[in-house]
Each structure stands twice: as C-alpha cells, then as structure tokens.
Amino acid sequence: MTQSAPLSVNWIYDLFRIGQEVASAESTDSARQQMLAHIVSGFGAHSGCLALTTEDGRSLRLVAGTKLPAHVIGSTCPYGDRILGWVAQEGQALLLNGDVSKDPRFRNLRARNESGIPMVALCWPLTVEARVIGVLSINRGQNQEPFTEEDLGRGSLIMNLVAIVIENALLQADQRRRIAELSTLHNVVAIAPDAIISVDGDQKIAMFNRGAERIFGYRADQAIGRPVETLLPERFAHAHRGHVQQFGDASPDSMLMNKRREITGRRRDGSEFPAEASISKLDTPAGVIYNVILRDVSERKQAEEELRTSHGELKQAYQNLEEAQSQLMQSEKLAAIGQLAAGVAHEINNPVGYVNSNLGTLQGYLNDLFALLEAYAQALAQPADPATRAALQSLVQRLDVNFLRQDAHSLVRESLEGVLRVRRIVQDLKEFSHVDEAEWQWADLHQGLDTTLNIVHHEIKYKAEVIREYGELPRVECIPSQLNQVFMNLLVNAAQAIDAHGTITVRTGAEGDQVWVEIRDTGTGIPPEVRERMFDPFFTTKPVGKGTGLGLSLSYGIV
C-alpha cells in the first residue's frame, strides 16, 4: 500500500480477522504484535508501538512494538509524560511533523534508539466509552513523506475498531482467568477433606462436596435438595431453626459469622459424631446462601480423651515418683544418720562421761560438806570447849574445805559446758534430720554448713582439717533441710576420698544475683571412667554395705 493511498476493504477485513485472533488467543502478545505490524504496514509507516493503561489507571505499559529495542517492551510511562503520556492524558489524537524536542506539551522526551525522537508520527488514544485504555503510535522516517490530517482522520476511525478489539481481548483474558480461578476453587472444594455444604434460604442443601459425602455417608445427588436438618440429630432441630433466624438477621461481618463452634452431626446410618462448623452468609441476586465448613472431630475428641486419661495416669505416676523420691531421701538420710550414729554417739558420750564423773566427785564433796555442817550443828548444841573447837579445826583441815570451794565451782562450770555441748549436738541433729520440711524459705547457708559440719565432725576430724573460707552471702530462698543433705553428702564423700590425713576447704561467695558453695578436698580424686556415672542412682564405688549409691544422685536432683 502506498503512503497516501486509502485503506482498502481487504486491509480492513484482515485487520478485523487479526482482531478476532487477538480476542481469542491464549497469549495475546504475538497477536498484538501482528495487529500493530498490520497497521504500520497499512499506513506506510517505518515503526510503531502499542501501550495499554495499567491497572492503577495512571500509567501506560508498552506491550508491542516494531523496529524498537527489545528492552523497551514492558517499560512504563506515566500519564502526562512524553508524547504517549500526553495523548493518554488529553485523550486527543496527535499529528507530529518536524522537531518536537522543544515542544512544551511533552515532558521528559528522550530518544529510544540512535534515530532519535520521531519527527513524523501519528498518535491515537484508544478509548472505550470515553475511557482511555491505551495509545497507538506509528512513525515515518525522515526520508519518507510526512503524515497528513487525512491520515490522522482515517486512523481515528480504525482506532475505534482497534480499541474494541483490545478491550474484548482484555475482557476475554479476564474471563478466562476467572473461569480458571473458579475451576481451581471448584477442584479445591471438591477434594477438601472437610465437608463444604451450601444451603439456600429455604434451608435446602444446594451443594455437597466429596468431604461431606465421606463424613455423612450421602452421595451428593442424595443430599442436594434435602433439608439441612437431615444432617442433624432431631433433638437439635428446634435450636437449629433459632440459629438460622439469628444468622439471617446478622450482617456478614457480625461475630455470629465465621465463628467456629462445636455441633453434633448425624450420619446417614443414624450414628452421631462431634464436629466443628463455621457458617458464612452470602447475599446473592437469587437469595441468601449459607456456606458451612464442617470438620469431623471424632478422632480428635478420642485423642483428647486418651490424652486426659494419659494425663491422669502421668499425674498419678508423678505423685508416685514424688513419694518414691521422698522415700529415697528418707532412706538416704537415715542411712547417712546411721553411718554417723557411732560418731554422734561418741561426740555425745565424751561430754556425758565427764559430766557423770564430775557429778560423782561433786556428790563426794557434798557428803563431806554435809558432814562438816553436821559437826558444826553439834558444836552449836553444846557449850563451847577447847576439845570441840580442836575437833572442828581438825575436820576442816582433813576435808580441805578451801579446795572444795574452788573445785566445786569448776565442776559445775564444766558440767554445764558439757550439757550445752550435748544440747548443741542434739539441736544440730534435730535441725539436720527435718527431711519432711519441704517449704521454701529464706535461709542462711553458712548456718546450714556449720550445722552439717557439726553433725559430720566425728566422721571428718580423724581424716581432715576443715578450713572455712566464707564470703559475704545474702539469705537465700531454698529448702534448707535438702541443701543440708547435699552438704553432708559432699563432705562425707570428701572425707572418705582422703586416705591418710588431708584438708577439706569450704568456700562460699556471691556473683550478681547468684551464690555459690565450693567443697574441695585433697583426696585421691575421681577416675575419668567413674565421672560419667557418678550421678546415676545406685551407682557406688564403695564395698557392699558401705554405700547406697543415692547420695550424689539425690544431691544432683535437689540442686
């Protein structure tokens, strides 16, 4: 076709045919490119481009081009920017002949290739019902004949057809997309494991997916058209009608909608099962539709019941374990106390022995003093004479009254000290043995260490010297009797690890909001093969009858 020849009927028919291909094509890119090339050829142009309005309605996106760099396809141009943006914004066809680089109407003009900004061009807005859907532009080279107003007018008529073709193509593409989405949604609904049921305004089942067939035992053709109350036990029919009334009066955004609740369903065979259901309401031109998503929770309920049973069994087992642990602690405490009983008895026997001896001696002193007092009483009953006076003097010298006076005070003081020592040992033993005191309380760890050291004194004193290096400790919230048990086990183990005679050092300190207690001995140490098992219950390296193997295990558990 020549540059100024009128467009032929055949050319217009070919354009119409291409337009049908554009509308029906799965991929419109090549069809658009073909349509643009047909228009460029028909107008005797050198190149051209097609840009469509983006979804936000504020920009153009280049979707087709002839003799344009490949990288510009897909680029965008805001409305009002450059030549295409100006045509889209103004909605006016445009004839350009000559240099437009200085034209104030066009912002941000820049060349797309080495040929520079087109100097001979026709641009048309593509409009449908006064709405711009894109812009089509064709260009001639500098050596070609310029476009005319007649070309612009003929093109405007053709662009009406082009706009309709492109709009139909967009609508068809959107329709295909919606159909694909609906098909996908239908497939998802069909294969969903949950029951998905649609109910119309008359409470008749309108849709019944495979999940509903599996859960309720009805085929879809058996369920559709039945009242939805068929799927509920008869005793819940009245309550269901009330719920329907509430849902009917509620807005789609109310709290009644989409709220998952537990219900009871009824299968085709009449058996009942627990279920969770959520209901959504949809107002359509044909009437209200209720969509129900229902899940059979029979297995979950059974699992919950088994879990509750298991929880009860675990709780009972935990109580039994606590009782067993308490009994083990009692056994270990009693075993430790039994082991220390001889030493404690020896510690008590020493002060009791000299208190007994002192009391025997004091008894003799008292007999002598009473004899002297008797002699004085007889002397007072008779007249004074030199013989009586001499006898009294002889008795005083023989009894050594001055020694009695001094020694009696020493005996009483030593006896009181011995009694206090026994009392302290008994008190320490009493405090240490309170294994049933399981209440948390604020305690002085130094007092607990000292009490424990007094209890195990006889066990340690022949094996080691105890060095106390106590730091400043705040009171600690703990169970004191249990910590005393830990201290005793560590101290006794330390003493037993010393072959001849050594040192046990007890250190304490505080770091930040924590306190620490360290017990170090100069014994033989722990072999590497034993360290991995040293906290195992009933593991011991001592001979049979010498240890229970529970000391360090219980200590580890307590700490």
Side-chain angles (χ1 to χ4, degrees), residues 181-386:
E181 290 176 352
L182 288 174
S183 177
T184 302
L185 179 61
H186 175 75
N187 292 334
V188 169
V189 170
I191 66 175
D194 292 343
I196 301 178
I197 304 168
S198 293
V199 181
D200 61 21
D202 296 327
Q203 294 301 290
K204 298 292 182 63
I205 299 173
M207 192 269 288
F208 205 73
N209 76 331
R210 295 176 194 170
E213 291 179 334
R214 178 182 57 81
I215 291 174
F216 287 97
Y218 292 96
R219 296 195 311 270
D221 60 332
Q222 294 172 328
I224 292 174
R226 285 175 176 261
V228 71
E229 293 174 4
T230 304
L231 308 178
L232 300 172
E234 293 182 2
R235 63 183 182 278
F236 294 124
H238 179 73
H240 170 71
R241 297 187 190 102
H243 290 154
V244 170
Q245 181 65 38
Q246 287 181 324
F247 287 132
D249 296 338
S251 68
D253 297 328
S254 74
M255 293 299 292
L256 292 173
M257 296 289 105
N258 301 309
K259 182 178 181 181
R260 185 170 292 274
R261 61 184 64 207
E262 291 190 1
I263 65 170
T264 301
R266 182 176 64 178
R267 299 186 182 92
R268 184 182 181 186
D269 60 8
S271 61
E272 298 181 1
F273 63 94
E276 284 185 349
S278 61
I279 304 175
S280 60
K281 176 184 174 184
L282 179 64
D283 290 319
T284 70
V288 65
I289 294 292
Y290 298 100
N291 294 311
V292 182
I293 301 177
L294 180 141
R295 175 173 297 176
D296 184 350
V297 294
S298 301
E299 293 182 358
R300 195 190 75 189
K301 290 292 184 181
Q302 182 180 357
E304 289 176 352
E305 182 61 31
E306 292 175 355
L307 183 61
R308 279 192 292 269
T309 302
S310 177
H311 176 72
E313 294 174 352
L314 286 175
K315 186 176 181 181
Q316 183 61 44
Y318 179 72
Q319 291 176 351
N320 295 339
L321 182 62
E322 282 189 324
E323 293 175 1
Q325 185 181 21
S326 177
Q327 291 174 0
L328 283 175
M329 290 183 66
Q330 291 277 9
S331 299
E332 173 64 15
K333 179 61 72 68
L334 291 174
I337 291 177
Q339 182 181 356
L340 300 175
V344 172
H346 180 75
E347 292 296 315
I348 294 177
N349 188 57
N350 283 341
V352 169
Y354 67 70
V355 167
N356 181 62
S357 175
N358 289 348
L359 289 177
T361 303
L362 187 59
Q363 184 178 12
Y365 290 167
L366 289 176
N367 290 336
D368 292 340
L369 289 176
F370 287 147
L372 180 60
L373 291 175
E374 182 64 25
Y376 272 114
Q378 292 177 2
L380 290 174
Q382 299 176 1
D385 60 79

Side-chain angles (χ1 to χ4, degrees), residues 483-505:
L483 282 185
N484 290 346
Q485 175 80 39
V486 174
F487 298 152
M488 186 195 72
N489 290 335
L490 296 179
L491 289 167
V492 171
N493 282 0
Q496 293 174 346
I498 298 174
D499 290 333
H501 193 276
T503 302
I504 298 176
T505 305

